[in-house]
mmCIF file of all heavy atoms in Angstrom:
data_model
loop_
_atom_site.group_PDB
_atom_site.id
_atom_site.type_symbol
_atom_site.label_atom_id
_atom_site.label_comp_id
_atom_site.label_asym_id
_atom_site.label_seq_id
_atom_site.Cartn_x
_atom_site.Cartn_y
_atom_site.Cartn_z
ATOM 1 N N GLY H 218 -40.044 43.981 66.010
ATOM 2 C CA GLY H 218 -40.206 43.472 64.506
ATOM 3 C C GLY H 218 -38.962 43.807 63.765
ATOM 4 O O GLY H 218 -38.416 43.032 63.001
ATOM 5 N N TYR H 219 -38.512 45.172 63.815
ATOM 6 C CA TYR H 219 -37.346 45.541 63.145
ATOM 7 C C TYR H 219 -36.032 44.836 63.549
ATOM 8 O O TYR H 219 -35.251 44.417 62.715
ATOM 9 C CB TYR H 219 -37.096 47.029 63.313
ATOM 10 C CG TYR H 219 -38.029 47.958 62.444
ATOM 11 C CD1 TYR H 219 -38.908 48.761 62.985
ATOM 12 C CD2 TYR H 219 -37.744 48.051 61.106
ATOM 13 C CE1 TYR H 219 -39.728 49.559 62.189
ATOM 14 C CE2 TYR H 219 -38.561 48.820 60.247
ATOM 15 C CZ TYR H 219 -39.547 49.580 60.879
ATOM 16 O OH TYR H 219 -40.311 50.334 60.034
ATOM 17 N N ALA H 220 -35.920 44.615 64.867
ATOM 18 C CA ALA H 220 -34.779 43.933 65.326
ATOM 19 C C ALA H 220 -34.799 42.395 64.925
ATOM 20 O O ALA H 220 -33.778 41.945 64.612
ATOM 21 C CB ALA H 220 -34.718 43.981 66.923
ATOM 22 N N PHE H 221 -35.981 41.779 64.892
ATOM 23 C CA PHE H 221 -36.041 40.389 64.412
ATOM 24 C C PHE H 221 -35.694 40.345 62.904
ATOM 25 O O PHE H 221 -34.943 39.411 62.562
ATOM 26 C CB PHE H 221 -37.529 39.904 64.637
ATOM 27 C CG PHE H 221 -37.753 38.480 64.270
ATOM 28 C CD1 PHE H 221 -37.087 37.457 64.931
ATOM 29 C CD2 PHE H 221 -38.457 38.164 63.079
ATOM 30 C CE1 PHE H 221 -37.304 36.161 64.545
ATOM 31 C CE2 PHE H 221 -38.645 36.898 62.720
ATOM 32 C CZ PHE H 221 -38.076 35.815 63.417
ATOM 33 N N ALA H 222 -36.156 41.284 62.179
ATOM 34 C CA ALA H 222 -35.735 41.353 60.705
ATOM 35 C C ALA H 222 -34.301 41.548 60.564
ATOM 36 O O ALA H 222 -33.693 40.912 59.721
ATOM 37 C CB ALA H 222 -36.583 42.435 59.992
ATOM 38 N N GLY H 223 -33.729 42.425 61.390
ATOM 39 C CA GLY H 223 -32.356 42.672 61.377
ATOM 40 C C GLY H 223 -31.558 41.462 61.630
ATOM 41 O O GLY H 223 -30.497 41.099 61.121
ATOM 42 N N ILE H 224 -31.935 40.699 62.703
ATOM 43 C CA ILE H 224 -31.214 39.388 63.032
ATOM 44 C C ILE H 224 -31.271 38.448 61.923
ATOM 45 O O ILE H 224 -30.183 37.805 61.546
ATOM 46 C CB ILE H 224 -31.899 38.821 64.323
ATOM 47 C CG1 ILE H 224 -31.391 39.694 65.475
ATOM 48 C CG2 ILE H 224 -31.337 37.459 64.588
ATOM 49 C CD1 ILE H 224 -32.154 39.429 66.791
ATOM 50 N N LEU H 225 -32.471 38.257 61.288
ATOM 51 C CA LEU H 225 -32.608 37.322 60.176
ATOM 52 C C LEU H 225 -31.716 37.802 59.024
ATOM 53 O O LEU H 225 -31.122 36.891 58.330
ATOM 54 C CB LEU H 225 -34.052 37.204 59.759
ATOM 55 C CG LEU H 225 -35.009 36.554 60.735
ATOM 56 C CD1 LEU H 225 -36.379 36.564 60.156
ATOM 57 C CD2 LEU H 225 -34.524 35.044 60.822
ATOM 58 N N LEU H 226 -31.574 39.055 58.755
ATOM 59 C CA LEU H 226 -30.947 39.586 57.629
ATOM 60 C C LEU H 226 -29.339 39.482 57.831
ATOM 61 O O LEU H 226 -28.654 39.418 56.806
ATOM 62 C CB LEU H 226 -31.390 41.021 57.191
ATOM 63 C CG LEU H 226 -32.724 41.097 56.676
ATOM 64 C CD1 LEU H 226 -33.270 42.598 56.634
ATOM 65 C CD2 LEU H 226 -32.883 40.464 55.271
ATOM 66 N N CYS H 227 -29.004 39.619 59.072
ATOM 67 C CA CYS H 227 -27.519 39.507 59.335
ATOM 68 C C CYS H 227 -26.929 38.084 59.370
ATOM 69 O O CYS H 227 -25.812 37.856 59.569
ATOM 70 C CB CYS H 227 -27.321 40.103 60.696
ATOM 71 S SG CYS H 227 -27.308 41.885 60.684
ATOM 72 N N VAL H 228 -27.867 37.067 59.086
ATOM 73 C CA VAL H 228 -27.401 35.640 59.060
ATOM 74 C C VAL H 228 -26.375 35.476 57.882
ATOM 75 O O VAL H 228 -25.402 34.833 57.950
ATOM 76 C CB VAL H 228 -28.552 34.721 58.877
ATOM 77 C CG1 VAL H 228 -28.130 33.380 58.643
ATOM 78 C CG2 VAL H 228 -29.318 34.665 60.176
ATOM 79 N N THR H 229 -26.672 36.135 56.647
ATOM 80 C CA THR H 229 -25.829 36.031 55.595
ATOM 81 C C THR H 229 -24.934 37.306 55.462
ATOM 82 O O THR H 229 -25.367 38.349 55.965
ATOM 83 C CB THR H 229 -26.609 35.849 54.350
ATOM 84 O OG1 THR H 229 -27.294 37.006 54.072
ATOM 85 C CG2 THR H 229 -27.540 34.629 54.314
ATOM 86 N N ILE H 230 -23.850 37.185 54.819
ATOM 87 C CA ILE H 230 -22.867 38.389 54.649
ATOM 88 C C ILE H 230 -23.574 39.340 53.782
ATOM 89 O O ILE H 230 -23.436 40.560 53.989
ATOM 90 C CB ILE H 230 -21.558 37.902 54.040
ATOM 91 C CG1 ILE H 230 -20.877 37.046 55.112
ATOM 92 C CG2 ILE H 230 -20.648 39.048 53.699
ATOM 93 C CD1 ILE H 230 -19.593 36.374 54.610
ATOM 94 N N ILE H 231 -24.266 38.895 52.903
ATOM 95 C CA ILE H 231 -24.929 39.865 51.824
ATOM 96 C C ILE H 231 -26.078 40.623 52.533
ATOM 97 O O ILE H 231 -26.319 41.811 52.323
ATOM 98 C CB ILE H 231 -25.496 39.106 50.691
ATOM 99 C CG1 ILE H 231 -24.435 38.547 49.849
ATOM 100 C CG2 ILE H 231 -26.407 40.010 49.713
ATOM 101 C CD1 ILE H 231 -24.820 37.513 48.819
ATOM 102 N N GLY H 232 -26.661 40.116 53.460
ATOM 103 C CA GLY H 232 -27.751 40.779 54.308
ATOM 104 C C GLY H 232 -27.352 41.666 55.453
ATOM 105 O O GLY H 232 -28.217 42.417 55.895
ATOM 106 N N ILE H 233 -26.090 41.777 55.652
ATOM 107 C CA ILE H 233 -25.624 42.556 56.902
ATOM 108 C C ILE H 233 -25.915 44.124 56.626
ATOM 109 O O ILE H 233 -26.433 44.700 57.630
ATOM 110 C CB ILE H 233 -24.064 42.319 57.152
ATOM 111 C CG1 ILE H 233 -23.857 40.986 57.670
ATOM 112 C CG2 ILE H 233 -23.506 43.345 58.084
ATOM 113 C CD1 ILE H 233 -22.440 40.583 57.914
ATOM 114 N N PHE H 235 -28.545 45.389 55.238
ATOM 115 C CA PHE H 235 -29.854 45.352 55.430
ATOM 116 C C PHE H 235 -30.240 45.279 56.907
ATOM 117 O O PHE H 235 -31.156 45.852 57.336
ATOM 118 C CB PHE H 235 -30.562 44.288 54.581
ATOM 119 C CG PHE H 235 -30.392 44.470 53.146
ATOM 120 C CD1 PHE H 235 -29.591 43.588 52.419
ATOM 121 C CD2 PHE H 235 -31.051 45.454 52.495
ATOM 122 C CE1 PHE H 235 -29.375 43.622 51.130
ATOM 123 C CE2 PHE H 235 -30.734 45.493 50.977
ATOM 124 C CZ PHE H 235 -30.072 44.563 50.373
ATOM 125 N N GLY H 236 -29.532 44.341 57.517
ATOM 126 C CA GLY H 236 -29.640 44.217 58.954
ATOM 127 C C GLY H 236 -29.322 45.394 59.739
ATOM 128 O O GLY H 236 -30.031 45.783 60.687
ATOM 129 N N SER H 239 -32.043 47.775 59.415
ATOM 130 C CA SER H 239 -33.127 47.388 60.131
ATOM 131 C C SER H 239 -32.992 47.773 61.665
ATOM 132 O O SER H 239 -33.961 48.213 62.252
ATOM 133 C CB SER H 239 -33.374 45.865 60.028
ATOM 134 O OG SER H 239 -34.457 45.497 60.821
ATOM 135 N N PHE H 240 -31.803 47.628 62.212
ATOM 136 C CA PHE H 240 -31.476 48.035 63.597
ATOM 137 C C PHE H 240 -31.675 49.518 63.756
ATOM 138 O O PHE H 240 -32.079 50.034 64.750
ATOM 139 C CB PHE H 240 -30.126 47.651 64.028
ATOM 140 C CG PHE H 240 -29.970 46.121 64.156
ATOM 141 C CD1 PHE H 240 -28.919 45.528 63.565
ATOM 142 C CD2 PHE H 240 -30.966 45.281 64.689
ATOM 143 C CE1 PHE H 240 -28.792 44.148 63.662
ATOM 144 C CE2 PHE H 240 -30.889 44.003 64.832
ATOM 145 C CZ PHE H 240 -29.881 43.272 64.319
ATOM 146 N N LEU H 274 -37.657 41.268 51.056
ATOM 147 C CA LEU H 274 -37.240 40.515 52.181
ATOM 148 C C LEU H 274 -37.946 40.913 53.437
ATOM 149 O O LEU H 274 -38.271 39.958 54.296
ATOM 150 C CB LEU H 274 -35.669 40.599 52.335
ATOM 151 C CG LEU H 274 -34.804 40.165 51.266
ATOM 152 C CD1 LEU H 274 -33.398 40.430 51.534
ATOM 153 C CD2 LEU H 274 -35.021 38.618 51.098
ATOM 154 N N ALA H 275 -38.184 42.098 53.756
ATOM 155 C CA ALA H 275 -38.627 42.548 55.177
ATOM 156 C C ALA H 275 -39.530 43.698 55.182
ATOM 157 O O ALA H 275 -40.413 43.786 56.021
ATOM 158 C CB ALA H 275 -37.414 42.823 55.977
ATOM 159 N N TRP H 278 -43.873 43.389 55.354
ATOM 160 C CA TRP H 278 -44.551 42.983 56.659
ATOM 161 C C TRP H 278 -44.390 44.046 57.736
ATOM 162 O O TRP H 278 -45.226 44.218 58.538
ATOM 163 C CB TRP H 278 -44.233 41.644 57.051
ATOM 164 C CG TRP H 278 -42.786 41.277 57.450
ATOM 165 C CD1 TRP H 278 -41.746 40.871 56.639
ATOM 166 C CD2 TRP H 278 -42.199 41.397 58.776
ATOM 167 N NE1 TRP H 278 -40.595 40.779 57.374
ATOM 168 C CE2 TRP H 278 -40.843 41.073 58.657
ATOM 169 C CE3 TRP H 278 -42.743 41.744 59.987
ATOM 170 C CZ2 TRP H 278 -40.014 41.091 59.742
ATOM 171 C CZ3 TRP H 278 -41.904 41.860 61.066
ATOM 172 C CH2 TRP H 278 -40.539 41.433 60.994
#
Side-chain angles (χ1 to χ4, degrees):
Y219 279 111
F221 183 69
I224 290 168
L225 288 177
L226 291 167
C227 283
V228 169
T229 64
I230 293 173
I231 295 171
I233 290 174
F235 302 105
S239 183
F240 293 135
L274 296 174
W278 64 271

